[in-house]
Amino acid sequence: MLRKDTSAWLGRAVAALAALVWLAAAAPVTAAARTDAAPTDAGGTSMDRVRTAETNRAKWLGDTPSPLAETDPELAAMRDRLVYGEILDQGTLDTRQAALVTLAALTASQALAPLEAQAGAALRVSASAADIRETLYQCAPYVGFPRVEAALAVVNPVLKAHGAALPLEKQATVDEKTRLADGIAVQKKIFGAEHIDALRANAPEGQKAIIANYLSAFCFGDLYTRRVLDLKMRELVTFSAIVALGGCDPQARAHAAANVNVGNSKQNLVDALAVMLPLIGFPRTLNGLAAVNAAVPEQTR
């Protein structure tokens, strides 16, 4: 009886020892795997936003300290990890496009303090002084001259600090004799000749100055014909400014379609909205997304 108990005990001891040996061999591999892998959240998504945010913030803003981080470090971390750790690290827009979309949104929103910082960021990530000026000018027909003038008041000192000589080189291609005809030509190129001809023909007599003349000559003649930004970039800036301004859903839909007409993709527009999201909030972003979906419905299988 004693021998049977002893034998059973020895069997259990050997099995336990074998399990310990196996665990000891496996433990270093497991530890190494945990060291090499990025932390994940409950859904398995990479949580490496902190390092990415630090790298991208330095790329865009250099070593400029964040005043918000001094007083409200948690909110600053939320902002920076969303903007620089996620949004600006993905999507179809290059850094120049994302920078100009940002400037358009801030101009429309009249967020002048961040506009100053982002003007410097735009220069740092490959936008030129002329790109920045044309972006702000392009906003004028949609957000009004006072907002653009206020934006220029904070942006121009940044351009000068980076070596730009003001005023910058002229980029107009029209004069008093050609601005209306050239504006109509650009409108037709973007929206289609039939649509523009009907718009002008059907404008009520008392409203023709706004609908048929100021729109064509000022908005399209004076602005869309300028050099530096091509039609694709001008339409992306226009769409961004309109969405950021808010309350302009018909115009947002029209310019979402116009973007596609000149060669931007639906995903370009969605990614521009993502860039603007931290600047304008979810309501205006979702309104912009609704405008995009109305103008360019999703492909269904």
Side-chain angles (χ1 to χ4, degrees):
M1 186 71 179
L2 180 61
R3 289 179 180 176
K4 288 183 181 180
D5 291 345
T6 302
S7 177
W9 180 86
L10 286 173
R12 289 195 297 271
V14 169
L17 180 61
L20 288 173
V21 170
W22 181 87
L23 287 172
V29 175
T30 304
R34 287 179 180 172
T35 300
D36 295 339
T40 58
D41 65 12
T45 304
S46 173
M47 294 290 284
D48 201 25
R49 295 192 311 149
V50 177
R51 286 194 295 270
T52 301
E54 291 171 353
T55 300
N56 282 339
R57 190 181 188 282
K59 173 183 175 181
W60 284 72
L61 297 175
D63 57 2
T64 305
S66 169
L68 185 65
E70 293 295 320
T71 58
D72 298 272
E74 290 180 295
L75 187 62
M78 277 185 244
R79 177 199 62 193
D80 289 349
R81 291 172 190 178
L82 176 64
V83 175
Y84 299 106
E86 293 184 78
I87 292 172
L88 291 180
D89 203 39
Q90 56 186 292
T92 59
L93 303 186
D94 60 31
T95 52
R96 173 178 174 269
Q97 291 171 316
L100 300 186
V101 164
T102 297
L103 296 181
L106 293 173
T107 298
S109 303
Q110 283 294 273
L112 299 181
L115 179 61
E116 181 179 10
Q118 289 301 319
L123 293 169
R124 198 170 282 109
V125 297
S126 78
S128 68
D131 287 332
I132 293 171
R133 182 186 68 172
E134 292 303 314
T135 296
L136 268 59
Y137 281 19
Q138 183 65 28
C139 293
Y142 305 98
V143 307
F145 281 109
R147 291 181 188 234
V148 173
E149 292 174 32
L152 287 168
V154 300
V155 166
N156 280 337
V158 176
L159 301 184
K160 290 179 69 175
H162 282 78
L166 301 182
L168 298 177
E169 181 182 354
K170 294 181 179 180
Q171 299 297 339
T173 65
V174 300
D175 56 30
E176 292 301 309
K177 294 180 180 179
T178 62
R179 59 194 288 269
L180 177 58
D182 287 1
I184 293 171
V186 174
Q187 277 185 292
K188 290 182 176 182
K189 184 176 182 179
I190 296 172
F191 296 100
E194 182 178 341
H195 176 74
I196 297 304
D197 286 340
L199 177 71
R200 295 179 61 81
N202 296 327
E205 191 62 35
Q207 301 174 25
K208 282 187 176 180
I210 294 176
I211 297 174
N213 295 331
Y214 302 152
L215 180 64
S216 296
F218 164 47
C219 181
F220 291 93
D222 290 344
L223 272 305
Y224 274 84
T225 61
R226 291 175 64 82
R227 291 182 286 261
V228 178
L229 301 184
D230 61 14
L231 279 184
K232 290 175 66 175
M233 194 66 240
R234 287 191 183 276
E235 267 304 323
L236 195 60
V237 166
T238 295
F239 172 78
S240 301
I242 288 171
V243 171
L245 188 63
C248 309
D249 294 344
Q251 290 77 20
R253 288 193 296 272
H255 282 280
N259 268 271
V260 174
N261 290 345
V262 300
N264 289 323
S265 69
K266 180 176 183 178
Q267 194 61 49
N268 292 153
L269 296 174
V270 173
D271 292 338
L273 290 170
V275 168
M276 291 192 289
L277 169 60
L279 311 175
I280 65 176
F282 271 104
R284 289 183 181 182
T285 300
L286 293 177
N287 286 345
L289 190 59
V292 170
N293 285 325
V296 193
E298 287 287 299
Q299 297 292 328
T300 57
R301 295 181 180 178

